[in-house]
Amino acid sequence: MRKMLTIALPKGRILTEASQLFKRVGLIEEEIIEGRKLVIERPEENLGIILAKPQDVPTYVKYGVTDLGIVGKDILMEANESIYELMDLKIGSCRLSLCGLEGRELPRGEMLRIATKYPDITAKYFLQKGQQVEIIKLNGSVELAPLLGLSDFIIDIVSTGKTLKENGLLELEVIFDNITSRLIANESSYHIKTKVIDAFVNKLEEGVK
Ligand code: PRP
């Protein structure tokens, strides 16, 4: 796998969109389907693929396990690693918002409990506002927290807004708009394989306009 260009793809909803984009621009011939196999070698396409948890993609890329990765800007901002962000793939569009139960306004001054998958972004956001918060880190289904009294509010991804609606929650403030998936690269890999990575990016750009 070392000689091929290697890429970490996120399991879940982005994988299908990324795979379709790769196929559309001719980087792969057959779509990548999520299954139990986590390492997929495509020697005929000179591509080695690993399927990882989205939050772990920056780690694999940072340590050079793979040359490239695809990851949401939300995860990239939270990870805050030294990684090259090569391009916006314009897939997986969503926003990061402060949300809470209907009828619950954001009080000023008192200590708030915020549940989130993004403790770093959350800490910076409230520091900037001068609001004291206790941050509760969750790994998913964050909308449960205000419903069950674990937190006052959440900071989480909103895409269609369906999860919020079905759980009686409202979007109160948009913190980051235009969150999309990005192509990232390991810094050394990029310097060693500049030509082949640039060719990869050029092909993707044809499909992303
Ligand atoms: C994300 C996010 C919301 C939901 C928003 O969760 O954390 O829960 O999607 O999407 P919507 O606005 O289209 O309803 P994800 O599905 O990634 O799963 P998770 O809750 O386990 O993290």
Side-chain angles (χ1 to χ4, degrees):
M1 190 148 153
R2 281 313 324 164
K3 282 189 185 149
M4 292 187 260
L5 196 55
T6 53
I7 186 162
L9 298 180
K11 293 202 275 182
R13 59 173 91 187
I14 301 300
L15 182 63
T16 312
E17 276 188 85
S19 169
Q20 285 168 352
L21 170 63
F22 281 18
K23 192 171 172 206
R24 204 162 63 236
V25 300
L27 284 169
I28 57 171
E29 279 177 19
E30 265 182 53
E31 272 187 38
I32 304 144
I33 309 290
E34 188 174 337
R36 294 278 172 192
K37 197 164 164 49
L38 301 176
V39 179
I40 301 166
E41 299 205 3
R42 297 275 184 96
E44 64 287 355
E45 288 147 0
N46 195 35
L47 204 59
I49 298 155
I50 70 160
L51 301 182
K53 284 265 179 209
Q55 285 78 0
D56 293 335
V57 167
T59 308
Y60 287 110
V61 174
K62 180 193 164 193
Y63 286 98
V65 173
T66 59
D67 304 311
L68 302 171
I70 288 183
V71 67
K73 182 70 178 176
D74 52 327
I75 292 171
L76 204 52
M77 286 190 295
E78 179 69 21
N80 197 21
E81 302 279 16
S82 46
I83 298 171
Y84 288 148
E85 184 180 324
L86 298 181
M87 70 176 286
D88 182 352
L89 297 170
K90 300 191 176 153
I91 56 174
S93 184
C94 57
R95 52 196 186 271
L96 188 70
S97 298
L98 174 76
C99 309
L101 285 169
E102 281 178 23
R104 181 92 164 78
E105 277 178 23
L106 192 66
R108 305 284 157 186
E110 68 185 77
M111 173 76 124
L112 294 176
R113 272 183 154 190
I114 312 290
T116 187
K117 288 186 274 191
Y118 308 92
D120 232 65
I121 293 175
T122 300
K124 284 178 192 148
Y125 177 70
F126 283 106
L127 183 68
Q128 208 178 32
K129 278 178 159 283
Q131 170 72 52
Q132 279 209 312
V133 289
E134 179 185 353
I135 297 168
I136 300 175
K137 166 84 165 49
L138 291 177
N139 294 304
S141 301
V142 180
E143 292 83 359
L144 280 174
L147 291 184
L148 303 177
L150 177 63
S151 74
D152 300 301
F153 299 94
I154 59 172
I155 284 190
D156 200 20
I157 289 299
V158 181
S159 177
T160 60
K162 205 162 170 238
T163 312
L164 289 182
K165 193 158 182 252
E166 293 202 357
N167 291 290
L169 297 167
L170 285 182
E171 194 172 3
L172 304 173
E173 285 173 29
V174 176
I175 297 169
F176 290 108
D177 215 345
N178 190 34
I179 289 183
T180 47
S181 294
R182 311 297 161 106
L183 180 72
I184 57 174
N186 173 271
E187 294 181 346
S188 316
S189 292
Y190 185 73
H191 291 295
I192 295 164
K193 302 183 179 178
T194 312
K195 261 191 174 173
V196 63
I197 291 177
D198 281 350
F200 191 89
V201 171
N202 287 343
K203 272 204 162 178
L204 280 175
E205 274 171 351
E206 285 167 24
V208 167
K209 282 159 197 168

